[in-house]
Structure formats: structure tokens, C-alpha cells
Amino acid sequence: KSACGGDEALRREVENLLAYQRKASQFMDTPALDVAARMLARNKDRELVGNQLGPYEVLSLLGRGGMGEVYLARDTRLDRKVAFKVLPAELKDGPERMKRFVQEAKAASRLNHPNIITIHDIGQADGLDYIAMEYVAGKTLDELIPRKGIPLKVALPIAIQIAEALAAAHAAGIVHRDLKPGNVMVAEGGKVKVLDFGLAKLTERSKAFELELTETIQTESQSLTEEGMIVGTVAYMSPEQAEGKKLDARSDIFSFGSLLYEMFTGRKAFQGESNIETLSAILREEPDPVGQIVQGLPPEMERIINRCLRKDRERRWQSVADVKVALQELKEESESGRMATAETPQHKRRLGLIWTAGLLVFAIIVAATLWFVRPGSKPPTHSMAAIPFTTDPGWEMAPSFSPDGNQVVYVADGGMADWGIYIKRIGSGSPLRRTKSPSVEISPVWSPDGDSIAFLRGLGSNKAAVLMMPTLNGPERKLAEISIPFDLLGFRHGSILRWLRGGKWLVTSDKGPADGSISLIRVSVDTEEKHKLTTPPAGWVGDFNPALSPDGHSLAFARFSASQTSEIYVLPISNSLSPDGQPRRLTFDGQLDSMPAWTADGREIVFVRGTNHIYGLWRINAFEPGTPEPMPFAGEGAISPSISRQGNRLVYVQWSFDTDIWRVDVSDSQEKASAPMKLISSTRTDHEGKFSPDGKRIAFVSYRSGNSEVWVCGSDGSNPVAVTSMNGPLISELNWTPDSQRISFSAVEKESTFFYIVGAQGGRPVLFSEGSDPNWSWDGQWIYFSSRRSGQAQIWKMPVRGGNTLQVTHKGGVSPLESKDGKTLFYWKGDSLWNVPTQGGEESKVLDLVYQDCFAVGHNGIFFIPEPLETDTLSIIHSGHLSIQYYDFASGKTRRILDLPKDRYIGYGFDISPDERSILFTLDSGSIGSDLMLVENFK
């Protein structure tokens, strides 16, 4: 039997002879049967070698296995060598073997990858079925693994290439199911080819992310006709494969772990004296730690292998592409000499001898590092380019990658306010619409296994439903309801729904009934129960935008304050998916930092930073204190980043808009208004128009030079001139000095906000102080501003000629504006307008639901733009039925002055002329919308 190798026909012949021997031992003996088997094999080879099958001349036998013989042959048409696999005629009678033979050809032929064997041809000749494939001169991996394993330097390039081959197969919807060293060919020069897709499961390419495997698996000695049995090579099976369960790509990851274990140790991870004992070990036992077998192996390598070999597939690597990235990083560290290895006692003794010298070297390195990172030096940057991924009319928002990184799910309105969830494959044409509901739907996100998409649907009355649906077809399932102002779920705040590791829980935001704050919660997919994860402290509105780290143990999120600023926090997560400590604050800039996304290596977080609806992408170290860095390639209006699990792709929303400054004239009684007139416009953003106190000029912020700068023009919009050239900082919050000679403004620089003063004729801006929202008292003696120096955004004031800075508010507030008589300070807090006496006193609410920076105080009342009573996602994008209104101090009543144009965006910036006859406000140019942008070479 041993002489027959994997030849099933010869094996059956010998088994028949052995059965006869047991009945008539006087006629036969075992040595004679061995000789007979070898003779049968040699005779079979002689029948094909030297002959021609179709266009192929058979040259020699390369090997023999359960699926037939493999020969070296020559393609007479192209005069090239091929590996020629033949299914012997005696095996054709088994329909399942024939099926597997054809399946191998189909599976491999669908894959065009340098690390996967290429199929040239499949055919039939002289009653034999054959596959002609790429010939690789080399050895299989099992022939190359020595008794003590392959050295790390040699093994890592091989492992990375195998992972690349598996990643390509999985992305095409193919699971190998028989990965082992014998099915990996290593050519001369180290090139790797993965072979033998005879057991592979094929799925439709358009359903590559489903990986729903319905075929069963069997033992090598059984046919494929019995459900729940196993096929393949026992020692490399996954636990689910050994139990005859449905398989997905994670089964190959377990087999890959067994292969890696053997590569580095020279031993099989699981091996018993029989197949039953080996299967039992796979299901119940853990292999000996790699680090105990191989001295000096990096702990990271052991961790990679151990995670591949987790019995529970939910705790394994969820994508072989992630394994590849980890191996690549390990290889880079190894080649750079930075890699840490497991210490042996001998190593520890040596460390003691070189400790003093090490300190000296360290000091030199620190000194050199400080020199090279001194102010003015810049680290090298990688060139990254963004290309449009969607170009449809209207809005496309909240993108999220599929697990394989080849598809994106997002929401869009098609330019008709007809919102739905869409799926689009990278490199393909039209997207697939997945939902069609009259309610607004947001935050779609793919499940870790790719089978489902979770999303939110508005229910009205500040509620939303958490829903889940199959990726392609099938009914929706409602998991929970959340209570939250639904406008916060939309454009500005990105996605607020994410999966936790394992795919059994979702994390989102919910408003607590007790204190009214909004916390992160997790929702069970199975039981629909809720568990609270965070509790915002006093002064903070709530927690949004959860993003789980690649290892599943850290949850980044945005914490929003009452003053409409937000910061990025990171919460450690335990194995039980509960908080493992307090959230750690990552950003401290006092602006709007939100929508975090982890890089694939878990080292950095990409997030959105901005103010006044001018946003951009930034990145920051996830675990060490540091300064955020902008990502210039994204440009103005970039929000909602999503990074593929493989780490090589970034998709984000590019908010394309052009706002202009409009003017409307009102009557003395503030009861009538003229038709709105566009006053200041360009092809770039113009906003925040402010009249000078003498009424002769208007200051405004414009991006027409490529950066946000302060500009000044005549009161009729004529002769616009730039008065700053800051070339980078985000400028906002303009206000004139009472003498109309200077302009104060805020500028976001790195992680802080400062306010400056510049002459109305131009010149070098003078830094005044840290803080934002600078505004002047009417007598010119004080300057008000907002600052978080007390831990919460409050209004402060400082004397212009020097002296102590005084805190004005104690319950939060931004956007200060003094009354004409100088007795009252008005400010904005929590969607409402408040006031406080300038000399100190009780802080009280004046008006509910006022847009931030969309109010101006006159002599007898307040001009303002109110927020609608009922808001939804669209209210952030379209003005709907918004209006300019007037609140009269004497009567305490409000009246409508003017209805604003419908379906237009209202931007920041609002002011009245000194004579209170004209109002300036910001309105979009009519071409507002968004596209999804894709970065293929993201680093």
C-alpha cells in the first residue's frame, strides 16, 4: 500500500490482494504485494511518458496524488513546458472526483495572481481528462522545511507571498480548503505558487463578500456524497472543517496558522497516531508554544501564529489580508534591525554586560533625533492622490468598506432628496441600491463577515431605529431604537454606528433618560439588549462616531461639548466588550474634531477637524501624545473617512460647495424686507460678512486665494482686497474694532486657536491671545473671547490696554456679542441664545433654537435665523423653510421678516448694518453637494 502513494486505483487493487491474502495466506505474502504495487505504478507511468495527449507531449512524471498524476509535458503549439495533471480513466467513474478535478481548473483559472498557479488549458484526450498549468521549477514547501524549521529571514517572504495568494482568492470569493505545505511550491529564487484548488469552494464573484459555503467536507477515503464528513488533509484542517460545518475564509486562516507553525518549528501543530487523534487535537488541544521550540523568535511572530490558530473563528484574524500586513511589518522591522526577540538567559546576561554602553549610544541617538526634528525640519511625506469614486448628482455620504476592501456601502439622494443605501464595487460601474424608504437612512456599516449591513433609519420625534439586513437580498430586522436628535446623525457628524469585534454587537449613541446626555452603547445582534459604554462628564453633550481599533481593544470616538466643539477620545475595551478603564483624551484644540478612523496597523487615527463648515482630514498618533498633522491631499470639505481593513485604501466624503454673501434690506419697523441680492461671490467659498461700524466697508472670509484669508470690500461689494496672507491656518469669526480701523479674527494653528488683529488696509497680523470668537465692547476698552482654559468653553474678557483677564460666563458659551448700550452680553450655547450683564449677574436664556453665528443685536431687538422645531438630517444640508426673524426687546415677541430661498444651504456669518437697514447672511450658490473620493495608495 505504501508504494501506491496517493494512487487510489492502485490502492484498491492492493487492498483486494491483501483481502485475498488474509483468506489464503499460504499463497501470498506482503513483500510480494509491495513489489506488485511498484510494478503496477511503473507500468502506468510508462504508458504516458513519451506519448502525446492532445497537443501535449508527456516528458516525465513529477508526482502522484489522490487527484491524479502530475507530469512534465511540452505544449507543442507554443513550445513551452507545462505541468500536466491527468485524472486517470479508472477515477473518472467517481463523479465527485471528476467534479473536484473540473472545480480545481475553474477555481484557479479565475485567479490572476503572481502567487497562484496559472491554468493554461483543460481538456480531454484518449479517454483521459487533463489540466495544463504553469510549470514551476522548484520544490514543494514540505520538501524544504528542515527538522528545526526555516529561519525567520527566509520564512517571512514565503509566508507573505502565501498570504497574498490567499487574500486574492478570498477577494474573488474562493476558499482553498486544503492549504498545506504540499500545496505550496517554492521556485528557484524564492517565488511562491499556491497549488491544488481541487477542494476550493467557488462563489459568485459579485457575492465575494458573502463567503457562504454550502458544500460539505469529507475524509480522504470517502466520497463527497455524505453531508457533514470531512475531506482534505487532516493535520491542517480548521476546527469547523473537522466538524463538518459550513466554512468561510477564516478556515483558510487556521490552516495558514498550522502551515506557519510547521515552517518555523519543523513540527506539525496537530498530529496524532491516527486521523481520529489528530482531529481530536485540532478540536480540543493547543500546540506547544512556538517560542518554547524556537529560541529567539520574535514575540510578534508567535502572536500572529497563535491568533491564526484560535479555535473560535470569531477570535481569529478576520481577514488574511490583515495577517499579511502584520507579516510585512514584522519583515520590515527585521530588516531594519529594530525587531524585538524573545530573550533567552544567555541574552539577558549579555544585556547586563552592555548596559552602560547602551546608555551612551541611546544618549547619542536622542541628541541626533532632537537635532533632526528641531523646528523647521520636516519628515518625509508620501505622495497620495484622491480620485472620484462617485460622481452622481446630489449627495453621497457615510462610506464604509466591505471586509475585503473591494466594495463601499454609502447613502445617497441621487440629487432628488430620495435617500437610500447603495453598494458600489471599486473598479465597476453602476452602484446597487439596497434600500428605498421614505425615511432618512444613514450610517450603513458592513458586518465583519460581510454577510450583513447595519444602518439607522429615522423614526421622527428625535428617534431612530437600528436595523440590520443581508448584504444583497433578504428582510430587514429591527434591533433597537435609540433616542437622539436626529440632525446629529447626519452630515456634520458622520457615522454613529459601528460593529464591535466578533460581529455579535453594534455600538452607537443613545440619549439617557436621567441626565439627557448622549452616551455610547452596545446593542446585541442576538438578544437586542443594550449596555452603556460611556458617560459624558458635566459640560459635554454626548459621545458620537465610534471607531473600533483593528485589534478590537480600543474604541475611538468624538465627545461633543455644549459649545459645539468636540475632541477625540480613546476608550480601552476588554475581552468581554466592556470598558477597561476611563476614556483617554487625544486632541485638545477646542475645535470640531470628529469622525475618527483607525489605520490598519492600529497606530494612528485619521479624523476630521474644522470649524464653520470648513473641514479637512488630519492624523494623530493613537497612543502617544503628539501634534495632529493635516492631510493636504484631501483639501477643503473632506469628512467621513473610512480605511479598508487591508490598509491600502481610504475613502472619504468631499463636500463640494460654494457659498456667497447675500444682502437684504429691511424697513424701519423690521416688518418688511426686499428680495435677497447676491452681494459678494466668487467660484470659491465666501462667508462671514461683517459691516464696519462706520458702514463703509465689509470684511469677510474667502477661499478665493486657495486658503482662508480675511478680505475687505466696499459696502456694495466692490473692490475686494485680501488683507491677510496666513497661507494655511483656518480663519473665522471676524469682527471690527469700534473705530473701523482694524479687524480681529480667529486662526486654528496645529492644536490651538489664537486670535489676531490686522489693519483694515492689510499688514502683518498681530497675535493677541489664545482663544476664539474675539469681539469688542462698544467703547473699545475690552475684547471678549471664548476659551477652554477652565476646562469648558466659557466667555472671557480682557482689557485692551493690559490687565487681568476676567471670566464672564460660568455655565458655558461661545460667540459673544455686546449690546449697543454696553450693558448686556449676548452669546450662544446649546442651540439657544443667552445673555448675562457685562458687570456680572445671572445667566439667562433669551431665545430657543438659534443657529450659531446667525444672530445680530440691534438697538431694540435681535435679528436671527431660527432652527426649525423639527429637524432631520436634511435640515443640515437644505434650509427648507428657514427665515430671518426679529425679536423685539420691549414686547418680548418675535416676527418673521423674510423667508429664505428653499432648498439652499445656510452658512455661518450674519450681521446688520450700523443703521439696521441691511442684513448680510451666507447662502450656498446652488451647486452644493458631495462625492466620495478614493485613495488607492493610502499610507
Side-chain angles (χ1 to χ4, degrees):
K1 290 176 67 176
S2 63
C4 298
D7 191 316
E8 294 291 331
L10 288 176
R11 185 175 295 182
R12 286 197 296 270
E13 291 291 333
V14 175
E15 284 176 345
N16 290 337
L17 289 172
L18 286 173
Y20 183 75
Q21 180 192 29
R22 288 191 290 271
K23 295 180 180 180
S25 57
Q26 67 273 27
F27 296 109
M28 292 284 183
D29 59 29
T30 300
L33 292 174
D34 289 342
V35 172
R38 287 194 292 272
M39 292 176 63
L40 285 169
R42 283 198 298 270
N43 288 336
K44 178 182 290 292
D45 294 342
R46 292 194 186 101
E47 293 173 4
L48 293 180
V49 174
N51 293 330
Q52 186 159 325
L53 292 177
Y56 301 98
E57 178 185 3
V58 181
L59 302 178
S60 62
L61 178 69
L62 294 175
R64 178 181 286 113
M67 287 299 298
E69 297 89 19
V70 181
Y71 294 87
L72 175 63
R74 185 177 68 88
D75 186 339
T76 58
R77 297 166 300 185
L78 300 175
D79 193 24
R80 67 178 174 187
K81 290 182 179 180
V82 297
F84 193 76
K85 177 178 275 193
V86 175
L87 181 66
E90 59 265 33
L91 299 186
K92 287 181 62 178
D93 295 335
E96 295 302 332
R97 291 188 180 279
M98 186 63 194
K99 177 181 177 182
R100 270 192 246 159
F101 191 80
V102 175
Q103 183 167 283
E104 176 185 7
K106 288 183 177 179
S109 65
R110 291 178 62 176
L111 302 171
N112 181 19
H113 192 272
N115 296 120
I116 295 176
I117 203 76
T118 301
I119 299 297
H120 296 316
D121 189 16
I122 182 171
Q124 203 175 58
D126 295 341
L128 296 177
D129 292 272
Y130 63 82
I131 301 173
M133 63 187 77
E134 177 184 5
Y135 170 67
V136 180
K139 294 183 178 181
T140 56
L141 186 57
D142 58 351
E143 296 176 289
L144 295 175
I145 298 176
R147 185 173 60 87
K148 293 186 178 182
I150 302 175
L152 180 73
K153 184 177 181 179
V154 178
L156 278 176
I158 295 174
I160 291 169
Q161 292 180 76
I162 298 171
E164 288 176 342
L166 290 177
H170 293 171
I174 295 173
V175 182
H176 192 288
R177 302 202 302 175
D178 194 22
L179 182 67
K180 57 185 178 181
N183 281 336
V184 176
M185 179 70 73
V186 181
E188 297 172 4
K191 188 70 174 179
V192 168
K193 297 283 184 177
V194 175
L195 320 170
D196 202 348
F197 283 80
L199 302 182
K201 167 64 184 176
L202 280 72
T203 60
E204 291 298 320
R205 187 172 183 84
S206 62
K207 300 178 182 179
F209 42 80
E210 290 185 315
L211 300 176
E212 182 178 352
L213 305 179
T214 56
E215 289 194 359
T216 57
I217 41 182
Q218 290 82 347
T219 62
E220 288 179 272
S221 60
Q222 293 170 321
S223 71
L224 282 167
T225 58
E226 297 179 69
E227 184 175 356
M229 295 184 178
I230 53 176
V231 70
T233 307
V234 172
Y236 305 94
M237 288 181 179
S238 65
E240 59 268 28
Q241 193 174 8
E243 291 180 320
K245 295 180 178 179
K246 290 181 180 180
L247 307 183
D248 60 24
R250 292 171 293 183
S251 178
D252 278 353
I253 292 175
F254 188 94
S255 300
F256 185 43
S258 297
L259 183 148
L260 290 175
Y261 187 99
E262 188 170 345
M263 281 178 64
F264 287 99
T265 67
R267 307 179 189 178
K268 287 184 172 61
F270 307 98
Q271 189 169 21
E273 295 184 1
S274 67
N275 282 350
I276 296 299
E277 290 181 4
T278 302
L279 290 175
S280 178
I282 290 171
L283 294 171
R284 297 175 178 84
E285 298 176 9
E286 297 293 340
D288 294 334
V290 179
Q292 293 182 8
I293 303 171
V294 183
Q295 290 187 350
L297 191 70
E300 179 63 14
M301 187 68 246
E302 185 171 3
R303 189 186 73 84
I304 292 171
I305 295 174
N306 290 343
R307 191 169 173 186
C308 287
L309 293 177
R310 293 277 177 88
K311 309 291 185 190
D312 182 359
R313 55 181 161 186
E314 298 293 342
R315 299 186 62 196
R316 267 177 235 154
W317 295 93
Q318 298 298 293
S319 164
V320 75
D322 291 344
V323 187
K324 182 192 73 172
V325 171
L327 291 170
Q328 286 174 326
E329 291 178 349
L330 194 62
K331 179 175 179 288
E332 291 171 0
E333 292 177 4
S334 173
E335 292 172 346
S336 67
R338 300 190 311 267
M339 183 168 54
T341 59
E343 290 184 354
T344 64
Q346 184 179 5
H347 290 151
K348 292 178 181 178
R349 289 194 296 270
R350 290 174 179 171
L351 284 176
L353 295 175
I354 64 171
W355 180 251
T356 303
L359 286 176
L360 179 59
V361 172
F362 176 73
I364 294 172
I365 292 173
V366 169
T369 302
L370 291 175
W371 171 257
F372 283 109
V373 300
R374 66 194 188 280
S377 65
K378 294 184 178 181
T381 58
H382 297 283
S383 175
M384 287 181 280
I387 59 173
F389 180 62
T390 63
T391 55
D392 300 316
W395 296 86
E396 293 89 43
M397 300 189 296
S400 174
F401 276 108
S402 60
D404 63 9
N406 292 325
Q407 298 177 93
V408 176
V409 61
Y410 60 95
V411 294
D413 76 337
M416 304 293 291
D418 180 19
W419 295 92
I421 295 176
Y422 290 78
I423 297 173
K424 185 175 181 180
R425 178 174 288 276
I426 294 172
S428 68
S430 300
L432 168 69
R433 182 163 187 170
R434 188 60 186 85
T435 65
K436 190 172 180 64
S437 170
S439 300
V440 176
E441 296 161 338
I442 60 171
S443 297
V445 58
W446 239 294
S447 62
D449 61 7
D451 290 341
S452 305
I453 292 173
F455 62 99
L456 298 174
R457 177 178 289 155
L459 299 177
S461 301
N462 291 333
K463 290 186 179 294
V466 182
L467 300 171
M468 188 171 74
M469 63 181 177
T471 303
L472 287 185
N473 294 301
E476 300 171 353
R477 181 162 72 92
K478 183 178 177 181
L479 302 181
E481 287 188 12
I482 58 175
S483 178
I484 188 173
F486 198 49
D487 63 315
L488 295 181
L489 310 186
F491 186 82
R492 291 179 299 176
H493 294 243
S495 175
I496 68 160
L497 187 67
R498 287 288 184 264
W499 291 87
L500 292 176
R501 66 176 182 275
K504 298 295 184 182
W505 293 83
L506 287 156
V507 58
T508 185
S509 300
D510 195 15
K511 187 175 184 178
D515 58 4
S517 65
I518 299 169
S519 304
L520 293 182
I521 63 167
R522 58 184 171 99
V523 180
S524 172
V525 172
D526 296 328
T527 66
E528 303 177 10
E529 60 184 307
K530 296 180 181 178
H531 292 283
K532 194 173 182 179
L533 294 176
T534 65
T535 302
W540 296 85
V541 173
D543 299 335
F544 302 86
N545 310 140
L548 191 68
S549 61
D551 65 3
H553 288 286
S554 296
L555 190 68
F557 63 93
R559 176 162 285 174
F560 285 77
S561 72
S563 58
Q564 286 293 290
T565 61
S566 59
E567 309 290 352
I568 304 297
Y569 281 74
V570 176
L571 175 69
I573 298 293
S574 67
N575 290 332
S576 61
L577 303 181
S578 299
D580 192 14
Q582 293 299 313
R584 174 174 50 86
R585 186 167 169 179
L586 205 59
T587 62
F588 296 85
D589 70 300
Q591 294 298 317
L592 192 64
D593 292 344
S594 60
M595 309 182 200
W598 293 81
T599 55
D601 59 11
R603 297 175 179 175
E604 289 187 310
I605 291 175
V606 174
F607 66 98
V608 175
R609 167 171 287 184
T611 186
N612 291 1
H613 296 290
I614 309 300
Y615 299 96
L617 298 188
W618 293 63
R619 65 198 305 161
I620 190 171
N621 189 297
F623 296 102
E624 298 178 5
T627 302
E629 297 180 0
M631 304 174 71
F633 70 86
E636 172 190 336
I639 63 170
S640 297
S642 177
I643 300 171
S644 66
R645 184 183 292 175
Q646 296 73 22
N648 63 323
R649 284 172 172 162
L650 166 73
V651 65
Y652 62 91
V653 173
Q654 183 67 57
W655 186 9
S656 57
F657 62 98
D658 172 21
T659 58
D660 302 315
I661 298 172
W662 292 62
R663 174 175 173 166
V664 61
D665 295 327
V666 297
S667 63
D668 291 340
S669 62
Q670 290 84 37
E671 293 182 352
K672 297 180 181 179
S674 64
M677 174 187 67
K678 187 185 295 186
L679 185 68
I680 302 171
S681 65
S682 67
T683 58
R684 303 298 299 274
T685 301
D686 301 304
H687 63 112
E688 292 198 59
K690 293 293 178 73
F691 284 107
S692 61
D694 60 12
K696 296 179 180 179
R697 288 174 291 184
I698 295 173
F700 62 99
V701 178
S702 178
Y703 280 76
R704 59 184 73 190
S705 67
N707 296 295
S708 61
E709 304 288 357
V710 179
W711 289 64
V712 171
C713 66
S715 60
D716 59 355
S718 61
N719 303 317
V721 177
V723 296
T724 66
S725 55
M726 302 283 282
N727 297 323
L730 188 64
I731 291 176
S732 61
E733 300 151 356
L734 307 187
N735 281 295
W736 289 85
T737 57
D739 60 6
S740 300
Q741 298 302 308
R742 293 173 295 170
I743 302 164
S744 61
F745 62 92
S746 298
V748 179
E749 299 180 76
K750 297 184 179 179
E751 59 184 295
S752 299
T753 303
F754 301 91
F755 61 88
Y756 291 79
I757 299 175
V758 66
Q761 305 299 325
R764 180 175 177 272
V766 176
L767 175 63
F768 206 86
S769 177
E770 180 274 333
S772 58
D773 301 316
N775 208 340
W776 301 81
S777 63
W778 280 106
D779 61 9
Q781 301 301 308
W782 296 87
I783 184 164
Y784 296 96
F785 64 97
S786 62
S787 172
R788 299 184 65 90
R789 62 185 63 187
S790 65
Q792 181 187 12
Q794 303 285 0
I795 306 296
W796 300 69
K797 68 177 183 178
M798 66 169 62
V800 174
R801 292 182 174 85
N804 294 330
T805 299
L806 304 178
Q807 185 172 344
V808 179
T809 65
H810 298 271
K811 299 179 182 179
V814 296
S815 303
L817 181 58
E818 194 180 79
S819 62
K820 301 288 187 179
D821 60 11
K823 295 180 179 181
T824 307
L825 183 74
F826 292 86
Y827 59 94
W828 189 90
K829 181 179 74 172
D831 294 333
S832 301
L833 190 63
W834 292 62
N835 70 8
V836 63
T838 55
Q839 300 304 314
E842 186 67 25
E843 302 170 32
S844 57
K845 184 186 293 187
V846 180
L847 289 169
D848 275 320
L849 298 175
V850 175
Y851 273 118
Q852 184 181 4
D853 286 346
C854 287
F855 64 93
V857 179
H859 286 91
N860 300 311
I862 301 171
F863 300 83
F864 68 101
I865 298 177
E867 291 188 1
L869 291 175
E870 291 294 331
T871 61
D872 57 20
T873 304
L874 298 182
S875 69
I876 296 173
I877 301 166
H878 302 288
S879 65
H881 296 285
L882 296 184
S883 60
I884 297 176
Q885 298 189 16
Y886 180 77
Y887 171 76
D888 185 82
F889 289 143
S891 66
K893 295 182 179 180
T894 300
R895 57 177 174 267
R896 186 186 300 262
I897 298 176
L898 174 72
D899 284 326
L900 296 173
K902 294 181 180 180
D903 299 328
R904 301 285 289 278
Y905 173 79
I906 299 298
Y908 281 117
F910 187 89
D911 198 27
I912 56 173
S913 60
D915 60 7
E916 300 183 24
R917 295 288 186 90
S918 299
I919 298 174
L920 297 179
F921 62 94
T922 304
L923 190 68
D924 80 84
S925 63
S927 60
I928 188 168
S930 67
D931 292 316
L932 301 186
M933 305 296 291
L934 178 67
V935 179
E936 282 279 15
N937 58 334
F938 180 68
K939 298 181 180 65

